[in-house]
Amino acid sequence: MSHQESLTAYLAAFVAELVLSGIKDVVISPGSRSTPMAMVMAEHPELNVHIHVDERSAAFFALGIAKASNRPVAILCTSGTAAANYFPAIVEARYSRVPLLVLTADRPHELREVGAPQAIDQIELYGKHVKWFAEMALPENRAEMIRYARTICARAVAYCAGAPSGPVHLNFPFREPLIPQLDDSIFRMAERPHGFVKVHNGELTIGDGLIQEIANRLEGKSKGIIVCGNIADERFADAVTQLSKLLKYPILADPLSQLRSGKHNREHIIDTYDTFLRNEDAKSFLKPDCIIRFGAMPISKALTIFIKENPSADQLVIDGGGGWRDPASLSTDMVFCNETLFCEKLATVAKPSSDHKFFEDWNNINALTKENMASVRDITELSEGKLFYQLAEMVPEGATLFVGNSMPIRDLDSFFLHNNKCIRIMANRGANGIDGTVSTALGAALYSKSLYLVLGDLTFFHDLNGLFAAKQFNIDIHIILVNNNGGGIFSFLPQSEHPKHFELLFGTPLDIEFEHAVKMFNGRFVKVADWDHLQKELGNSSGASGLQVYEIRTKRDTNRDEHRGFWASVSQEISNFVDGESK
C-alpha cells in the first residue's frame, strides 16, 4: 500500500464521516501542509467549501456561519502561526458557546523541535479554550485506522454540538508527498456507509420532584422577576412568556434573548430597565424577592448591579449548558436544565398568581420611561441613541441585526425597544471583544436574510480585511458605521475625568477616510448627511446587493452629554412617580 493510497483512504473516510455527522460548511485557508485535507474536502459534493486567505478572519467568518445556521462549522489551516491566528475566534466560540471544529495540519513528529520551517508546538495549542483536543494518528489504510478516523470525526462533531456547544481541536500530522489520489469512489464507505457511529446528544432535564419543590417555593414569592440573556432556542420565547403570565413576573429582556422582536406575547416584556435601573428610587421601589435568570449574563451594567444589590432574593440560574453563569456568586439554585423545558415543566405545576401589583409597578415605570424616551426623536443632529431608537423602523421585516461591542451593543440595549417585527439580534458577546466583528457578520450573512451590521469605527478598522469575504463570496450586507473618531465608550468611564492623556491612551482618534477601503473591496460607500438621507438609504436597502456601507459621523463628547442629559431627565420623572406611589 503506497503512502498516497493510505493518505487518501484515511482522509476520505474522515471527510465522508464529517458530512454524515452533519457538517455542511468548511472554511479553508490555503497552505501547503493542509493540502491533502483541503483537496479531499473540495472533492466532496455535499460540502460547502469557503476559501478565506486570512486565518484570523476565516475563523470568525466560520463563527458567523455557525451562529446563523445553529450547527457546527469546520475550519482548516496549515501548520505554524496560521493555527495561532485562529485563537481569538476560538476564545469567542468557547465563551459564546458556538460549535467550531478546528482542524490544523502539522509537521510529522520527526520534524518537530528540530528547526524545520513552519513548525510550532501545536499540541493542545488552544489549552482549555477548546472542549476537546486530539492529536490524530498518521494516515494509514488499515481497517482499524479507517474506523479510528471515522470515530474521532463523529466524536469531535458531537462534542462541538453537545451542550454547551463550543470548539473542538483536531491536529493532523502529514508526511510528504501531500497530494492525494482523487477519484469518484473515494467517499464510498464499504463499512457502515450511512455513518460509522451516531452520537446522540440529549437535553438536560429536571425531575418532577425538584420542579414541584421549586414551584412550592415560588408560591410565596410575589415579587419575582425573570431575567433573560442570550438564548438561541426558537422555542424559548413562547415558553418563558407563558411562564411569566402565570407567575405575574416581569421579563427583563436583553436584546440577545430574542424577546424584543417577534410574534410572541410581549405584554410582560420590560425593555427600558437599562435606563430606569440607574435611578436609586426605582431600584428600591422595584426590589425583588426572587430572580429567575436564563441565558448568558445581560449586557446592561445597570441590571447586573441591580441583581448584585439584591443578595437576599432567591436567585435561580437555569442553564441548559451546565455552566456556571454567576459572577457575583449570589445564586441560591443552579439548575442544569434546558431553559425551554424548565419553563414548560414549571408552568404545568406552578399555581397561577393573582397578585398583579409588583408586575404593574415594573410595567408602569417601564411605560413612563418609554414616554420620556420619545424625546430622542427630537434630536436633529446625527445621534447614536436616536439611531438605535429608530432601527426597528428602519430595517425590514425578517432582518438580522448584528451589533458590534463597546458602545453600539449598549445603545442597542438602552434604545432598541420591543416591536412586532421578526428581527434577529446577534453579537459576539462571549469574550466581548471588538476583533473579528466584520468577519463574523459576513459569515452570518451567508445564512441570514437581510443582514445589517452596526458597529463603531475602531471595530470596523480592527477587521477591515474581513471585508474580503463580501467580495470573494458576493455577500449582501449593510454596514452602518458609527464614526465618532475613536473609542466612544471611554468617554463614559472614569478615565475621561483625567484629560491629560485621555486622547492619547483612550480616545485614540484614527482620522481615517474609510471610503477608500470599502471601494477596494468593491463596496458602495455612503456618507450620511442627515436623518432623511439615512431613512432614504435604508428604505431602499432591501433592493441593494453586495457590500453597502453607510457612515454616520457623530461626536464623542456630544454623544456622552446627550446620554447623561437624557438619563438625568428620565431619572427625575421616575423619582417623582415613585414618590407619588409611595405616599
Side-chain angles (χ1 to χ4, degrees), residues 9 15 28 32 53 81 84 108 152 203 304 353 358 371 433 442 462 486 546:
V15 172
I28 300 175
S32 177
V53 297
T81 56
I152 291 290
E203 293 179 336
T304 302
S353 174
F358 190 64
E371 183 181 329
L442 281 163
H462 205 280

Side-chain angles (χ1 to χ4, degrees), residues 13 70 75-76 120 124 146 195 259 293 300 351 385 391 402 442 478 505 582:
N70 289 320
I75 52 178
L76 171 67
I120 68 172
E124 298 186 341
I146 297 301
L259 293 172
R293 190 159 60 77
S300 170
K351 292 184 179 179
L391 263 181
F402 201 109
L442 281 163
H478 306 277
L505 298 176
S582 301

Side-chain angles (χ1 to χ4, degrees), residues 375-387 407 411 415 492 531 553-570:
S375 63
V376 173
R377 288 184 177 275
D378 299 330
I379 297 174
T380 56
E381 293 185 7
L382 292 174
S383 156
E384 296 171 31
K386 182 174 179 177
L387 169 65
M407 277 307 296
D411 279 336
F415 295 102
F492 292 81
W531 291 113
R553 292 281 181 119
T554 63
K555 297 177 180 178
R556 280 183 273 131
D557 290 348
T558 301
N559 180 56
R560 177 199 60 204
D561 294 343
E562 281 180 358
H563 278 67
R564 288 178 175 173
F566 166 75
W567 288 329
S569 174
V570 174

Side-chain angles (χ1 to χ4, degrees), residues 29-36 78-79 105 107 118 174 176 178:
S29 295
S32 177
R33 190 58 54 168
S34 55
T35 293
T78 190
S79 62
R107 292 293 200 253
Q118 208 168 327
F174 295 132
E176 297 180 357
L178 300 170

Side-chain angles (χ1 to χ4, degrees), residues 377 384-396 399 401-403 408 411-412 415-417 419 421 423 425 452-455 480 482 531 534-535 538 552:
R377 288 184 177 275
E384 296 171 31
K386 182 174 179 177
L387 169 65
F388 283 94
Y389 187 80
Q390 297 188 145
L391 263 181
E393 300 173 11
M394 292 179 172
V395 301
L401 185 60
F402 201 109
V403 183
D411 279 336
L412 179 83
F415 295 102
F416 186 84
L417 306 182
N419 55 84
K421 282 185 176 179
I423 300 174
I425 310 294
Y452 291 75
L453 168 62
V454 186
L455 77 176
I480 301 173
V482 180
W531 291 113
L534 178 63
Q535 188 77 48
L538 293 184
I552 299 174

Side-chain angles (χ1 to χ4, degrees), residues 115-413:
Q118 208 168 327
I120 68 172
D121 185 355
Q122 295 177 200
I123 305 302
E124 298 186 341
L125 177 62
Y126 310 113
K128 293 182 179 180
H129 291 100
V130 293
K131 294 178 65 177
W132 184 52
F133 166 78
E135 162 78 339
M136 297 296 291
L138 285 159
E140 294 185 49
N141 195 22
R142 292 185 294 114
E144 295 86 351
M145 295 306 292
I146 297 301
R147 291 172 186 152
Y148 159 81
R150 297 181 69 185
T151 298
I152 291 290
C153 179
R155 287 177 64 187
V157 176
Y159 288 163
C160 275
S165 298
V168 165
H169 177 206
L170 302 181
N171 192 58
F172 285 82
F174 295 132
R175 289 194 178 109
E176 297 180 357
L178 300 170
I179 306 301
Q181 295 177 336
L182 305 179
D183 60 56
D184 295 338
S185 64
I186 62 170
F187 298 115
R188 294 176 191 164
M189 298 293 110
E191 187 178 16
R192 304 183 192 177
H194 301 297
F196 191 77
V197 55
K198 299 293 184 184
V199 183
H200 304 278
N201 282 320
E203 293 179 336
L204 287 172
T205 187
I206 187 170
D208 293 341
L210 180 54
I211 201 71
Q212 185 63 62
E213 178 187 326
I214 292 173
N216 294 341
R217 284 168 55 193
L218 295 181
E219 190 176 347
K221 306 284 184 181
S222 62
K223 295 183 176 182
I225 63 173
I226 296 173
V227 177
C228 294
N230 189 356
I231 292 276
D233 188 348
E234 294 179 355
R235 307 166 299 161
F236 179 71
D238 286 333
V240 75
T241 51
Q242 285 287 76
L243 179 63
S244 70
K245 184 177 180 180
L246 182 78
L247 298 175
K248 303 298 184 294
Y249 286 5
I251 299 175
L252 282 62
D254 184 277
L256 296 177
S257 68
Q258 313 306 327
L259 293 172
R260 293 198 192 178
S261 296
K263 305 304 181 185
H264 52 272
N265 187 323
R266 296 191 306 280
E267 63 179 312
H268 286 80
I269 300 293
I270 304 296
D271 49 5
T272 66
Y273 54 81
D274 183 64
T275 296
F276 65 73
L277 287 180
R278 298 170 188 268
N279 177 279
E280 294 299 325
D281 293 330
K283 290 198 290 184
S284 177
F285 184 63
L286 300 174
K287 192 176 182 66
D289 56 18
C290 179
I291 301 171
I292 305 176
R293 190 159 60 77
F294 298 95
M297 288 299 297
I299 294 165
S300 170
K301 186 175 182 179
L303 175 54
T304 302
I305 291 172
F306 179 70
I307 293 172
K308 188 175 181 179
E309 289 176 343
N310 284 279
S312 60
D314 281 0
Q315 297 199 21
L316 288 76
V317 178
I318 319 303
D319 190 352
W324 201 268
R325 288 166 160 170
D326 183 24
S329 299
L330 289 175
S331 60
T332 56
D333 297 80
M334 190 66 67
V335 183
F336 296 150
C337 175
N338 175 270
E339 294 86 354
T340 300
L341 181 61
F342 178 88
C343 292
E344 291 171 344
K345 293 194 72 169
L346 183 57
T348 63
V349 297
K351 292 184 179 179
S353 174
S354 58
D355 190 345
H356 298 253
K357 179 65 169 60
F358 190 64
F359 165 72
E360 288 174 354
D361 289 340
W362 277 86
N363 198 41
N364 288 336
I365 289 184
N366 194 56
L368 176 64
T369 305
K370 280 188 177 182
E371 183 181 329
N372 282 270
M373 285 182 76
S375 63
V376 173
R377 288 184 177 275
D378 299 330
I379 297 174
T380 56
E381 293 185 7
L382 292 174
S383 156
E384 296 171 31
K386 182 174 179 177
L387 169 65
F388 283 94
Y389 187 80
Q390 297 188 145
L391 263 181
E393 300 173 11
M394 292 179 172
V395 301
E397 172 69 28
T400 295
L401 185 60
F402 201 109
V403 183
N405 284 319
S406 201
M407 277 307 296
I409 193 70
R410 288 169 172 81
D411 279 336
L412 179 83
D413 193 15

